[in-house]
Amino acid sequence: MMKFTVITLGCQMNYADTARVKSVLKNCGFTPVETVEEADIVIFDTCSVRQKSEDKVTGKLKEIPLDKKVWITGCMIQHNMRNQKIMTGKKLPENLKTGNFGGVVLTKEPRIVGLTSEEVKNLKKSDKGELVGINHSFNPLFHNLSQKWKNIELFFRIDDTGFLPLMLQKLGYEVRYDRELTNEYSTIVPEGINSSMNAHNKTAYIPISTGCNQFCAYCIVPFARGLERWFPVEQIVKEAKIHLANGVKEIVLLGQIVNKHPDFLTIVKEVLKLEGLEWLRYTSPYPTYYSDELLALHETEQKLCPHIHIPFQSGSNAVLKKMFRGYSAEQCYTFIDKIRSLKRPISITTDIILGFPGETEEDFQETLKLTEYARFDMIYMGIYSNRPGTFADRKYPDEIPYKVKHQRRSQLNDILYRISDENNQLEVGAERTMIVNEITKDGDILGYTDNMKQIILKSSPKTANLEIGMLLPVRITKGMVFKLEGEPLL
């Protein structure tokens, strides 16, 4: 019986994908293990949001013993797919001829192609719509990596996870699979498998859509994930019910622009009704797709967590326009005002890109101004770097010195540290709910609150019986930068 482990890199969506891969392989008779040492097969579920993310994969490949097979999936390989060969029936615009724009394979009995480069070269137009590409379908990337690391055995799209049994048979594995093959990987429910990046198993990540049509100038995601597809409400609610029946307490709805789903409000309301749910979150939303009704739910529905992560990216109109974000700085301020007008306090976090091409000192000052106004609890900062294939890479010279980008990050960090400390001081005396994510060797309890703040409970007789995955009420006793301290109310 083959043993496998998965190294997951990147965002929450990748962790949800990994859980689906594990589910299919378990049903093929493979056994998941925790470490590379135990495994016969090491699977990389990759990220491509930055070049650094892809460099991590090649770095980690050096650490894998050559007697272990390596499979690679995820965003890194998907934006390298040469789909004019695999999807020969598609008439694609020039800028979409490389990337994950094949969509869903229509048949449930496709032909697996790409085991050899000749197999891809000899494809005919009559093959359209019946193909699932592996390995050499991702050339030159597969060729280049497999020449250097001879133990690389398989490249496959996450979208094609449901066809893994057919791929494994093509590779010569003996497979027993007692489930129906599926051409829609989102319908695979990873029952009883931790689908989150948390140490505990009480959180389930549920994709409600995949892909993105926004094509922000800097972003590789549409090329890696493909065009936007929304999943049915019934499918999403059914998966949530299964996870809750297996002991999950926190549901996180996922999408590249999660609140763009035309039935998003319905999904939120239906999941909130489900028995066993304690917390509901969603990520990542977009400011222009928020409704007043959705914001009102944050005020009235206690299970809808008091935290909104909204990736503004910049506070400058000039930069936002060049990024193709589709909203203005004024709309950011209006959105923040709407959140702050709710009777329930909401924690706001964001993403900011520093040093985007053409960002002047005045533009950067506008981002600092937005930060001061919004009083973000956390900012996930990214120093801009070119992503080949994106509009920005083709059209915007990356002329801002690296030193300037780092200076801007340091300056923004200084403001964020001060605001975080001030915000968290205001939490002292408040009563909140937390979930236990880790217990240290010294017995300290680490976790996060309903408003998504890291919290520590110092070891004491009151914490002696706490376990990973428990939800419990706490009183905040101390606030500091990016962290709270508290005591259990048991």
Side-chain angles (χ1 to χ4, degrees), residues 98-109:
T98 297
N100 186 21
F101 296 105
V104 177
V105 178
L106 298 180
T107 179
K108 292 188 178 181
E109 296 180 356

Side-chain angles (χ1 to χ4, degrees), residues 286-288 290 295 308 310-317 319-321 323 325-340 348 350-352 366-367 369-371 373-376:
Y286 213 74
T288 52
Y290 260 95
L295 284 175
I308 291 175
I310 191 80
F312 287 126
Q313 304 299 1
S314 176
S316 161
N317 278 327
V319 173
L320 291 170
K321 185 176 181 179
M323 287 178 170
R325 291 297 287 174
Y327 54 81
S328 66
E330 289 74 24
Q331 287 173 289
C332 297
Y333 283 94
T334 298
F335 183 67
I336 291 164
D337 288 342
K338 285 185 175 183
I339 296 174
R340 297 302 185 208
I348 307 176
T350 194
D351 299 335
I352 295 291
E366 290 298 315
T367 295
K369 178 182 171 184
L370 177 66
T371 300
Y373 189 86
R375 299 190 61 78
F376 299 118

Side-chain angles (χ1 to χ4, degrees), residues 190-209:
E191 188 171 352
I193 296 172
N194 185 3
S195 62
S196 81
M197 59 178 68
N198 295 322
H200 65 77
N201 61 359
K202 301 301 181 183
T203 300
Y205 294 158
I206 301 181
I208 70 168
S209 64

Side-chain angles (χ1 to χ4, degrees), residues 74-75 77-83 86-87 92 95-104 138 156-160 185 210-212 215 220-229:
C75 294
I77 68 165
Q78 289 175 180
H79 76 83
N80 281 283
M81 193 167 196
R82 269 49 180 174
N83 57 45
I86 298 304
M87 301 302 290
L92 293 168
N95 67 319
L96 301 189
K97 286 187 176 179
T98 297
N100 186 21
F101 296 105
V104 177
F138 301 90
F156 68 97
R157 289 197 316 161
I158 278 293
D159 307 65
D160 299 325
Y185 90 105
T210 188
C212 186
F215 285 92
I220 199 70
V221 167
F223 298 90
R225 287 281 176 179
L227 299 178
E228 199 167 57
R229 290 187 292 118

